[in-house]
Amino acid sequence: MKLVRGAWKILVGIKDFLVLVFMLLFFTMLFVALSAKPNPGAIRDGALLVSLDGALVEQPEEADPFAKLTGGDVAKQQRLRDVLRALDAAKTDDHVKAVVLDLDRFMGGYPAAISQVAEAVGKVRASGKPVLAYATAYTDDSYALAANASEVWVNPLGGTMFAGPGGTRLFYKGLLDKLGVNAHIYRVGKFKSAVEPYMRSDMSPEAKEAELAIYQPIFQQWQQEIAKARPKARIADYLAKPAEVITAAKGDIAKTNLALGIVDKLGDRMAFGKRVAEIAGVASGKPVGNFNRIKLADFVAAHPMPTGGDAIGVITVAGEIVDGKAGPGHAGGDTISAQLLKGLATKNLKALVVRVDSPGGSALASEQIRQAVLQAKAKGLPVVVSMGSLAASGGYWVSTAGDTIFAEPNTITGSIGIFGVIPTFEKTLAKIGVGADGVKTTPLSGQPDVFGGTNAETDALLQSAIEAGYARFIGLVAGARKMTPEKVNEIAQGRVWIGGTAHQIGLVDRFGGVDDAIAEAARRAKLDPAKVHAVYLEKEPSGWARLIESFADDSNDEGDWADEPAGADMFARVAIEQRALFAQALGDATRLARGGSVQARCLECGALGPATGSIEDRTLFDAIAARLGL
């Protein structure tokens, strides 16, 4: 009996200990979360620190909050509209003595987003406030921002490397053949190259033609924007003969950049920090190289969006369009339509802006979102579409519901076409001696048969369905753009266009950003654009999600500037891109295995985006790498 009572006391003690540990952990995490919460009252005179760590996106994804705890990578994403709002407010805020662009860990964004931020940086400089940019190594995207700064600094051991759009893509036909996987492709559109990785070992001539048609003007726009922002930068030879120029300088990239006027100063983080301190003041109690700084999150919180006047709803369709529900950064058909319908019922909206920043995805989910947008029209609300960096394929499908469409000159749009892929494994099974057979009562019994393969009847049926879906897509565009189906078919075929060309051929109406679209929506609702405010119809992260995210966040905004993690040099950036490429391959494999609904998705779009790839693909890669001990 004494043994039982002793065991019971031990169990009770263990229970009490675990409860205590849990309580301590909970309150520690609560303290961390409250400490990390943006504090508008913390704004003091100093330099606004815009640390663009990670990728610049329309709507950040929810990263795996436990990735950091398990040794994985917690990828960061910066919300475009927050950065733009902060830069706009910095022009007139007396607390801001300078703006610092920390681009050391910036992984880029799509061309339209980069151009918007670059323009905003230029406006801060034009207002008379100093803008100082720093990076260990500049790439195309980071330099597009830095070129608009008053002073461009680079680490003496770093430099610039401008590659231009383009690069390698993975093709899996040879691997699928070796594995015996039979990818059945159903598509319409000779330029619809999203399925080519599963049916070819290289790019088709049509795909190359289509990509060059968007890459070349985007690169030309990049060069024009650099020349306008920084006319003294002599980058022509550097772009045409980079190896020759650097070799002549005995491999000193940074010194060459300085001589060509591409950068203004060479220095490490400490030297840069001392320079900023001359303008913004020396941070008291901090080591040399620190300066008075204003955290971006605090500054954004101190400058909230207007709330006066009538409400213009803004529904964001960002990321891949998928069936069902999805978190931020993915456009779930159920999620987006529910958010929109709820907003229409409860927010007393006077007009609607549909902000599209998506390469497309599920045709079914795209139609579901379009139908929800049409409910706004049914209530008599004007509907204006604002295209961000991407509004291609399914993204354009959704856009057909708008009364008018705004885009940026380098928005990627079009890709009007659909496809479907069904993998079957009859050859794979045969390789290991497994057969498949059964009794069928109709030509479609057991079809599509992933074990025995599809038959001619099924293939004809599915191809016919894809062609009917394409005809519906063409009809939607024709009706929305006041064109004949024949005319739409000429500019469709899955071909991708940039905003400038899309405007010329009638796929978009006007150039401008989301603010221009909101103003137009107000005018269409017979309201004064100066007396309305935007209501973003999106779910805020839960308190628990914020708590976990803040606990996992290792940002060092309150630490020493000179001691913050160094940015990636050229070799490190290659490693990051290789990691993203492998992660993409794993993601492509899982997407093929999952199958899914008919797709209206743009493949070319991803090549112009951040080098990090999607968070979902990287999370899968991290899990497998951890399992293999890599």
Side-chain angles (χ1 to χ4, degrees):
M1 195 66 182
K2 288 182 179 180
L3 181 62
V4 174
R5 284 198 296 270
W8 177 253
K9 288 181 179 179
I10 291 174
L11 291 175
V12 171
I14 293 174
K15 182 262 296 181
D16 292 342
F17 175 76
L18 292 175
V19 170
L20 178 61
V21 169
F22 175 79
M23 294 296 290
L24 289 173
L25 179 62
F26 174 79
F27 284 110
T28 299
M29 294 174 68
L30 183 61
F31 173 76
V32 171
L34 293 175
S35 300
K37 185 178 180 181
N39 180 13
I43 304 299
R44 299 290 186 271
D45 289 358
L48 174 61
L49 178 57
V50 183
S51 296
L52 293 181
D53 296 357
L56 184 66
V57 299
E58 183 70 29
Q59 186 181 69
E61 300 176 51
E62 286 185 349
D64 180 1
F66 296 102
K68 190 72 174 179
L69 303 178
T70 57
D73 176 34
V74 179
K76 295 181 181 179
Q77 295 181 332
Q78 306 293 333
R79 189 189 299 272
L80 173 63
R81 71 170 182 262
D82 289 345
V83 175
L84 293 176
R85 190 161 86 248
L87 291 171
D88 182 62
K91 295 182 298 184
T92 55
D93 192 306
D94 292 336
H95 289 301
V96 178
K97 305 305 178 184
V99 171
V100 169
L101 299 178
D102 183 2
L103 303 170
D104 232 353
R105 293 166 296 280
F106 183 49
M107 298 310 299
Y110 281 95
I114 295 296
S115 293
Q116 290 177 73
V117 175
E119 182 181 6
V121 172
K123 288 180 178 179
V124 176
R125 183 183 67 178
S127 73
K129 291 198 175 179
V131 182
L132 298 93
Y134 179 85
T136 300
Y138 288 103
T139 58
D140 301 44
D141 288 349
S142 57
Y143 188 73
L145 306 184
N148 288 271
S150 313
E151 295 182 18
V152 181
W153 286 63
V154 71
N155 191 296
L157 299 181
T160 63
M161 184 173 180
F162 306 138
T168 300
R169 181 171 303 155
L170 298 176
F171 291 81
Y172 309 114
K173 182 62 168 65
L175 174 62
L176 295 178
D177 288 344
K178 288 184 177 181
L179 296 176
V181 178
N182 190 0
H184 299 265
I185 309 295
Y186 311 94
R187 66 167 179 167
V188 180
K190 66 178 182 178
F191 292 102
K192 198 63 184 175
S193 61
V195 294
E196 285 194 355
Y198 306 119
M199 59 186 292
R200 295 179 60 96
S201 297
D202 57 3
M203 291 180 67
S204 67
E206 293 82 4
K208 289 185 177 181
E209 175 188 344
E211 291 203 6
L212 280 175
I214 57 175
Y215 288 174
Q216 289 175 337
I218 283 176
F219 192 44
Q220 289 172 359
Q221 288 180 23
W222 179 87
Q223 295 177 74
Q224 291 167 2
E225 290 174 1
I226 297 296
K228 180 181 178 181
R230 197 171 182 81
K232 69 178 183 179
R234 305 193 308 275
I235 64 173
D237 287 344
Y238 194 57
L239 290 173
K241 301 174 288 185
E244 182 178 324
V245 171
I246 298 302
T247 301
K250 298 181 179 180
D252 194 330
I253 300 176
K255 192 173 181 179
T256 302
N257 294 157
L258 183 64
L260 293 175
I262 295 173
V263 302
D264 299 305
K265 301 284 186 180
L266 305 184
D268 58 13
R269 292 184 72 88
M270 180 180 294
F272 179 81
K274 291 169 67 175
R275 168 60 181 145
V276 177
E278 294 175 0
I279 304 171
V282 178
S284 61
K286 296 286 186 180
V288 63
N290 282 278
F291 52 87
N292 292 328
R293 70 181 82 174
I294 303 171
K295 292 175 61 175
L296 179 62
D298 290 342
F299 194 71
V300 170
H303 295 84
M305 293 188 299
T307 57
D310 292 304
I312 305 295
V314 181
I315 188 72
T316 303
V317 182
E320 184 179 356
I321 300 175
V322 297
D323 297 319
K325 297 180 179 180
H330 295 276
D334 289 349
T335 302
I336 300 295
S337 59
Q339 289 171 345
L340 177 51
L341 295 177
K342 182 179 179 181
L344 292 173
T346 63
K347 299 295 185 180
N348 191 27
L349 305 177
K350 302 301 182 183
L352 178 69
V353 170
V354 183
R355 177 66 170 176
V356 181
D357 195 82
S358 170
S362 165
L364 181 65
S366 300
E367 175 63 10
Q368 183 180 5
I369 296 171
R370 190 185 76 89
Q371 288 294 333
V373 174
L374 292 179
Q375 296 306 304
K377 283 190 170 183
K379 293 188 65 173
L381 271 63
V383 176
V384 176
V385 172
S386 170
M387 292 181 171
S389 296
L390 300 170
S393 214
Y396 197 88
W397 186 305
V398 172
S399 300
T400 60
D403 299 318
T404 190
I405 298 176
F406 282 77
E408 301 290 347
N410 46 6
T411 292
I412 302 166
T413 188
S415 192
I416 300 168
I418 65 174
F419 67 91
V421 182
I422 296 179
T424 61
F425 304 93
E426 66 275 15
K427 296 178 182 178
T428 307
L429 296 176
K431 288 176 179 289
I432 58 175
V434 177
D437 200 0
V439 176
K440 301 174 177 59
T441 56
T442 74
L444 298 181
S445 294
Q447 292 288 325
D449 188 346
V450 297
F451 299 123
T454 60
N455 57 28
E457 194 84 12
T458 301
D459 290 338
L461 185 151
L462 293 176
Q463 180 60 33
S464 179
I466 291 292
E467 291 172 1
Y470 178 69
R472 175 169 174 74
F473 199 168
I474 291 292
L476 291 175
V477 177
R481 307 308 304 164
K482 305 297 188 292
M483 299 180 185
T484 65
E486 292 75 19
K487 176 62 177 177
V488 175
N489 188 47
E490 289 178 11
I491 59 178
Q493 296 291 325
R495 184 156 188 169
V496 180
W497 308 95
I498 64 167
T501 307
H503 181 263
Q504 294 174 7
I505 62 178
L507 289 180
V508 303
D509 297 299
R510 297 168 65 181
F511 294 134
V514 66
D515 290 339
D516 299 300
I518 292 171
E520 174 65 16
R523 285 189 287 267
R524 286 176 173 266
K526 296 180 171 54
L527 300 172
D528 183 352
K531 297 180 180 179
V532 301
H533 69 279
V535 176
Y536 281 84
L537 307 176
E538 54 191 31
K539 184 179 179 181
E540 293 293 326
S542 67
W544 175 248
R546 287 177 175 174
L547 182 67
I548 296 296
E549 182 179 0
S550 64
F551 181 74
D553 188 10
D554 63 352
S555 63
N556 199 25
D557 285 332
E558 298 298 335
D560 295 338
W561 161 266
D563 290 338
E564 290 183 358
D569 61 15
M570 300 305 176
F571 291 92
R573 285 186 177 273
V574 169
I576 292 172
E577 293 180 5
Q578 287 177 335
R579 181 187 182 92
L581 199 62
F582 284 121
Q584 177 200 332
L586 290 172
D588 287 341
T590 58
R591 283 184 282 273
L592 176 63
R594 282 200 308 257
S597 59
V598 174
Q599 295 289 299
R601 182 157 50 92
C602 169
L603 178 70
E604 300 93 323
C605 300
L608 288 164
T612 56
S614 75
I615 286 181
E616 182 180 7
D617 288 353
R618 290 199 307 277
T619 300
L620 175 62
F621 176 84
D622 287 339
I624 294 177
R627 185 73 174 176
L628 297 176
L630 300 178

